[in-house]
Amino acid sequence: MRGASPTSGARLHVLLRKEELDGLRLAGKVVVVLDVLFATTTIVTALARGATDVIPTLDEWSARARASELPEGSFVAAGELNAITLDGFAPPTPLALSEHGIAGRTLVYSTTNGTVAIERAQGAAQVYAAALVNAQAVVDHVIASHPTETVLLVCSGSAGAVNLEDLVGAGCLVDLFARHLTREGDLTDAALSARAVYLQADPLDALMRARVGRMMRDQQLVHEVEFAAQRSVLDVVPRVHADGRLRA
């Protein structure tokens, strides 16, 4: 799909916080959710490392309830609340979860922001999970599969606030999408703003300066941030299916 012809009719918008989804008419729209540190990066990586699917949940209790419905040994429950791994759960970051082992199993996943954003977007025509690590693959797929639909890039944010890492991730996708659009007017002001931030940023530097990045540094998890800052290194495109699970 790289080098595809320009497309017209599509319109690209960025929501800076998941709370902006509330009350928004999503029918017929394509939603791409970003939580770069780390929910969507972890979802992409888990599927790339052989997870069969991912069940996103709103909170710890929903995750425990969903896990209780699955056969023992068929799943891994991972998650965090406010950057603290949930008691009895596997670590929620991409490299640590990969090391824990996920191949051939379902990931039941609960995070403070990213999985919540995915759940809130369920009224859309299609919902995808994106991060820096799969940016090109997501753009290629959306351009090919939804050439005329409105696309909403949703930054998960945190507690109603904008997160720098999600803004940079959205800007990266906007920049890739813009190469396929015939008119700059296809980008809303929010999309143009995200792209401007991205074009002025070094992704790793931005992620390390971000609030969550600083928290990860304090927790000796810089290697996880470094992994999340890579651009277009995975070809996995997670999509929410009718049963609510994400599959590649």
Side-chain angles (χ1 to χ4, degrees):
M1 182 60 201
R2 285 171 173 80
S5 300
T7 183
S8 60
R11 184 164 175 80
L12 189 64
H13 182 48
V14 172
L15 302 184
L16 301 178
R17 306 169 301 120
K18 62 184 174 299
E19 288 78 11
E20 294 178 38
L21 283 167
D22 295 346
L24 196 65
R25 186 176 177 274
L26 295 178
K29 296 181 173 66
V30 175
V31 170
V32 180
V33 175
L34 296 105
D35 183 349
V36 175
L37 296 177
F38 286 100
T40 54
T41 302
T42 298
I43 289 169
V44 172
T45 305
L47 291 171
R49 301 287 170 84
T52 57
D53 50 14
V54 179
I55 300 176
T57 62
L58 288 171
D59 52 34
E60 173 185 352
W61 313 114
S62 297
R64 293 188 185 279
R66 293 301 301 273
S68 70
E69 300 168 356
L70 302 174
E72 186 175 350
S74 69
F75 68 92
V76 173
E80 54 78 26
L81 180 63
N82 299 321
I84 304 299
T85 300
L86 297 172
D87 186 38
F89 281 56
T93 52
L95 296 180
L97 182 59
S98 296
E99 185 176 345
H100 177 85
I102 188 63
R105 293 190 281 179
T106 293
L107 172 61
V108 180
Y109 197 37
S110 173
T111 67
T112 309
N113 299 295
T115 56
V116 174
I118 291 170
E119 287 291 281
R120 288 185 176 184
Q122 294 289 346
Q126 298 289 344
V127 180
Y128 296 95
L132 287 167
V133 294
N134 72 332
Q136 186 70 63
V138 169
V139 170
D140 287 350
H141 178 85
V142 171
I143 289 289
S145 302
H146 314 288
T148 61
E149 285 93 336
T150 295
V151 179
L152 304 179
L153 305 182
V154 179
C155 301
S156 294
S158 182
V162 176
N163 279 9
L164 176 59
E165 66 273 14
D166 295 341
L167 187 60
V168 169
C172 177
L173 266 67
V174 173
D175 189 53
L176 294 172
F177 270 114
R179 302 174 192 180
H180 300 286
L181 299 176
T182 57
R183 305 181 303 268
E184 190 173 64
D186 293 328
L187 305 177
T188 64
D189 283 1
L192 290 169
S193 298
R195 186 187 190 191
V197 169
Y198 166 71
L199 291 175
Q200 294 296 317
D202 171 81
L204 178 56
D205 179 68
L207 267 57
M208 289 305 305
R209 289 175 180 268
R211 180 184 63 86
V212 177
R214 298 195 305 272
M215 292 170 61
M216 295 304 101
R217 182 184 59 212
D218 293 343
Q219 295 182 29
Q220 307 300 311
L221 293 176
V222 170
H223 60 291
E224 297 278 10
V225 181
E226 291 173 339
F227 177 82
Q230 298 177 99
R231 284 169 283 186
S232 302
V233 294
L234 299 174
D235 290 330
V236 170
V237 181
R239 179 174 68 87
V240 177
H241 288 246
D243 60 2
R245 301 188 184 202
L246 290 132
R247 298 183 182 90

